Amino acid sequence: MKKYSIFAIARNARNHHQDWERAWRSPDPKPSYDVIIIGGGGHGLATAYYLAKECGITNVAVLEKGWLGGGNTGRNTTIVRSNYLWDESAALYDHAVKLWEGLSDELNYNVMFSQRGLLHLAHNVHDMQEIGRRGNAIYMNGIDSEFLTPEQVKEMVPIINLNCRYPVMGALLQRRGGTARHDAVAWGYARAADSMGVDIIQNCEVTGFKIENGVVKGVETTRGSIGANKVGVVAAGHSSVVAEMAGFRMPLESFPLQAFVSEPMKPIVDCVIMSNAIHAYISQSDKGELVIGGSGDPFISYSQRGSFDQIEHVVGPVIELYPIFSRVRMLRQWGGITDVTVDRSPIITKTPVDNMFFNCGWGTGGFKATPGSGRVFAHSIAQGDMHPIAAPFTMDRFHTGALIDEAAAAAVAH
Amino acid sequence: MFLVKCPWCGWREQTEFSYGGEAHIARPTGTDEISDQEWGDYIYSRKNTKGVHAERWVHTQGCGRWFNAVRHTVTDVMWDSYKMGEDAPNPPKDWDGLSSRDELEPSEGK
Ligand SMILES: Cc1cc2nc3c(=O)[nH]c(=O)nc-3n(C[C@H](O)[C@H](O)[C@H](O)COP(=O)(O)OP(=O)(O)OC[C@H]3O[C@@H](n4cnc5c(N)ncnc54)[C@H](O)[C@@H]3O)c2cc1C
Ligand SMILES: [Zn+2]
């Protein structure tokens, strides 16, 4: 892997940028691997990277049915934060934020992580109680968390209308929260993993498993059978479909979630603003587009579109809170399929099939966890036993009753 | 957004209805004997099918009644609905998920 740097740009400028090497190879699948990762989203690629980097396992393939990051990784609104209620979640999400803080350097790839600060607005007494309780819990876990008065909110976001149909009574601020560039995360991990020998194989859909005596031995794909000692499934919205191929069910339902971007504008919002009571949140990309998201569709679907009526649910409140946007034109709308658990926490787990691991259930809010999720999953696969940060998130919790209920922190806010 | 067929009111916008999840999940019997695993499966595990899915709906903004329906979860086209307690009206094996039963078999329309 040739290092990216200002000198590399200068050197390549001399050749009219004709000689940049490919960011990763495009190999044919080998007959077998030590570990196969199913799903080339951010979490799958990060898993492969940490397997190679920290666990010494480089005979790894990532199999992706489409293109890298074409799932929820490339469809999300890129919010990164770690202001969750419970200790287990704080450990997992803040592990990720700490990795984000050094990620561009570590990967030698600019993931454009921007800790621009993130506000959760409170519009009513219930919201105030929720941010009060959660804000204190976050603080007790050593994660930054501040309460803002309406005046302080106005100072941070001058364009906000505090006394609209959704009056702003206060807000919870995480200054270390922000955004990152979604594609860059997938590409950066892919390039770094590839350079350590990981085979990244796109257009390769897994269609079945080879399982002998309850132990996984390999996968069937659209590019033939491939053997594997261990398999990690990181298929987001399609996790239930993959689990069915292996003969078990997951405690998951898949819902479409959509997002929108506007035409690009000059900088006007320099933080992320979200709100649980009204299902709309907003930030501005470095290109200048407003990035806006809302809540998921209320029925399971794999349509990857998002319902028409949700648009009004999202745009209406945005215009109430920020009247200056009333004449902004929206450019694009799209949907992703989010794998949602009943407690709104992810599942990182062993499965009824030996040597097969799942990392899923990130639902509407897993982008922020990409580095942490990949790292603890890689260690769990390598050890054959759950990493301590991952241990509370196994699928056992759905029969022991030890759910990690993050409905307030994650059900609407992503 | 798609159309949902209420057995009583006919085809209406999906926004008039609320979704009630997978249909035909029976509460296990012998509850003092079954394992925690079985309880967990009953409460939380779902088929979450990509394809033909039997599910519950309620006509919240209409007649207020609950019913079941069969829908294709990729196209969101509803094949048909049926009353609670009835067997699911399964579409033909080669159903493309694009047309409802009323469109394909209009003579049998109820
Ligand atoms: C509109 C929207 C907004 C969101 N906003 C945020 C946000 O602001 N902040 C946040 O933290 N999270 C957000 N999320 C959630 C976040 O996008 C996901 O939790 C996260 O990106 C999941 O990453 P992943 O790598 O697990 O999944 P994905 O990126 O979906 O990767 C899974 C991959 O598996 C592949 N795959 C599936 N089946 C197979 C198969 N059989 N064989 C081979 N490959 C297969 C898919 O093609 C896909 O590329 C949002 C999601 C959406 C849809
Ligand atoms: Zn009705």
Side-chain angles (χ1 to χ4, degrees):
Chain A
M1 178 174 95
K2 291 204 185 107
K3 199 163 186 288
Y4 290 159
S5 69
I6 185 133
F7 305 109
I9 294 176
R11 207 166 41 244
N12 278 279
R14 287 206 314 260
N15 314 330
H16 306 281
H17 297 288
Q18 299 296 303
D19 300 329
W20 287 103
E21 70 175 4
R22 292 182 68 112
W24 56 84
R25 301 160 297 132
S26 190
D28 288 326
K30 293 188 219 162
S32 79
Y33 292 90
D34 290 342
V35 179
I36 285 180
I37 301 296
I38 302 175
H43 289 227
L45 293 162
T47 307
Y49 168 80
Y50 291 109
L51 276 171
K53 172 95 188 302
E54 295 185 1
C55 308
I57 305 178
T58 52
N59 185 21
V60 175
V62 178
L63 310 181
E64 164 56 49
K65 72 174 171 181
W67 64 96
L68 294 192
N72 292 348
T73 296
R75 294 166 187 272
N76 84 94
T77 45
T78 74
I79 294 170
V80 176
R81 59 190 177 90
S82 57
N83 51 3
Y84 285 72
L85 177 66
W86 299 104
D87 299 357
E88 295 85 349
S89 318
L92 180 59
Y93 290 101
D94 209 49
H95 181 56
V97 170
K98 285 179 183 141
L99 290 171
W100 276 116
E101 286 168 345
L103 199 60
S104 292
D105 269 353
E106 172 164 1
L107 298 179
N108 178 230
Y109 205 100
N110 187 1
V111 299
M112 295 166 75
F113 181 46
S114 158
Q115 292 176 296
R116 55 184 68 184
L118 175 143
L119 284 173
H120 265 136
L121 302 180
H123 303 284
N124 50 47
V125 173
H126 176 86
D127 280 355
M128 290 298 283
Q129 290 168 341
E130 191 277 316
I131 63 167
R133 177 184 182 209
R134 183 156 54 87
N136 281 317
I138 296 161
Y139 190 75
M140 298 294 281
N141 272 316
I143 296 170
D144 70 303
S145 154
E146 292 166 47
F147 298 108
L148 299 193
T149 62
E151 294 70 38
Q152 288 171 311
V153 172
K154 185 79 183 171
E155 211 168 294
M156 263 188 86
V157 190
I159 61 168
I160 201 166
N161 179 4
L162 295 176
N163 301 311
C164 60
R165 185 176 163 194
Y166 312 102
V168 177
M169 296 176 66
L172 192 64
L173 168 64
Q174 182 175 25
R175 290 192 195 273
R176 286 164 66 238
T179 57
R181 168 103 170 96
H182 47 17
D183 291 329
V185 176
W187 299 338
Y189 273 122
R191 172 168 167 269
D194 173 88
S195 77
M196 292 182 287
V198 171
D199 283 357
I200 290 164
I201 302 163
Q202 303 182 69
N203 297 312
C204 179
E205 178 169 357
V206 171
T207 53
F209 289 101
K210 202 164 135 211
I211 297 169
E212 285 166 13
N213 303 320
V215 186
V216 68
K217 298 286 178 192
V219 298
E220 305 297 335
T221 77
T222 47
R223 296 185 62 179
S225 313
I226 312 175
N229 294 339
K230 293 180 179 177
V231 174
V233 179
V234 202
H238 281 74
S239 299
S240 298
V241 177
V242 179
E244 192 187 346
M245 294 173 196
F248 55 90
R249 280 190 197 181
M250 295 300 286
L252 289 174
E253 290 189 298
S254 294
F255 299 98
L257 176 69
Q258 63 188 314
F260 319 84
V261 294
S262 73
E263 57 192 337
M265 299 181 298
K266 291 192 174 167
I268 187 158
V269 187
D270 65 358
C271 57
V272 182
I273 313 160
M274 35 206 336
S275 162
N276 272 0
I278 53 174
H279 299 189
Y281 59 91
I282 189 162
S283 66
Q284 191 171 18
S285 73
D286 292 1
K287 255 191 288 180
E289 306 149 321
L290 297 178
V291 181
I292 302 178
S295 54
D297 283 346
F299 45 80
I300 71 161
S301 177
Y302 290 83
S303 63
Q304 207 155 261
R305 234 182 354 235
S307 286
F308 198 56
D309 58 293
Q310 291 287 341
I311 298 174
E312 191 173 345
H313 290 303
V314 172
V315 172
V318 165
I319 293 169
E320 272 289 321
L321 278 169
Y322 318 101
I324 194 173
F325 293 149
S326 65
R327 282 177 294 163
V328 170
R329 281 162 297 194
M330 302 309 286
L331 269 195
R332 294 192 312 267
Q333 171 276 358
W334 66 88
I337 303 302
T338 57
D339 43 331
V340 176
T341 57
V342 68
D343 60 0
R344 300 301 194 270
S345 287
I347 302 173
I348 311 174
T349 192
K350 297 186 198 178
T351 67
V353 179
D354 280 350
N355 294 345
M356 184 187 292
F357 302 78
F358 266 63
N359 184 353
C360 58
W362 291 96
T364 61
F367 176 70
K368 63 177 71 65
T370 304
S373 157
R375 185 164 182 271
V376 299
F377 193 49
H379 283 270
S380 304
I381 293 174
Q383 294 296 317
D385 219 346
M386 302 319 292
H387 184 279
I389 292 179
F393 293 93
T394 65
M395 61 198 283
D396 293 348
R397 74 178 188 273
F398 296 95
H399 63 258
T400 62
L403 299 183
I404 304 164
D405 185 356
E406 290 291 355
V412 175
H414 312 307
Chain B
M1 193 142 56
F2 53 87
L3 295 178
V4 171
K5 183 183 176 186
C6 172
W8 290 277
C9 312
W11 291 95
R12 300 289 187 90
E13 291 286 349
Q14 175 268 315
T15 49
E16 288 187 18
F17 299 82
S18 307
Y19 178 67
E22 184 180 326
H24 308 294
I25 298 177
R27 190 175 198 275
T29 52
T31 50
D32 46 352
E33 278 144 38
I34 66 171
S35 64
D36 291 349
Q37 183 82 46
E38 285 166 294
W39 259 123
D41 282 349
Y42 159 63
I43 298 172
Y44 300 119
S45 283
R46 295 293 177 264
K47 284 185 191 155
N48 197 20
T49 311
K50 183 176 185 176
V52 179
H53 189 242
E55 58 199 23
R56 308 186 304 166
W57 287 87
V58 57
H59 197 176
T60 333
Q61 312 292 335
C63 64
R65 295 215 228 181
W66 281 93
F67 56 92
N68 289 333
V70 172
R71 179 175 58 104
H72 199 293
T73 60
V74 177
T75 60
D76 286 340
V77 169
M78 195 166 273
W79 169 248
D80 205 352
S81 60
Y82 54 108
K83 293 178 185 166
M84 292 270 169
E86 291 179 359
D87 287 339
N90 283 319
K93 280 266 172 295
D94 59 352
W95 183 41
D96 57 9
L98 293 177
S99 316
S100 71
R101 185 183 197 171
D102 288 352
E103 287 166 311
L104 286 181
E105 308 165 3
S107 54
E108 296 183 21
K110 298 169 228 161

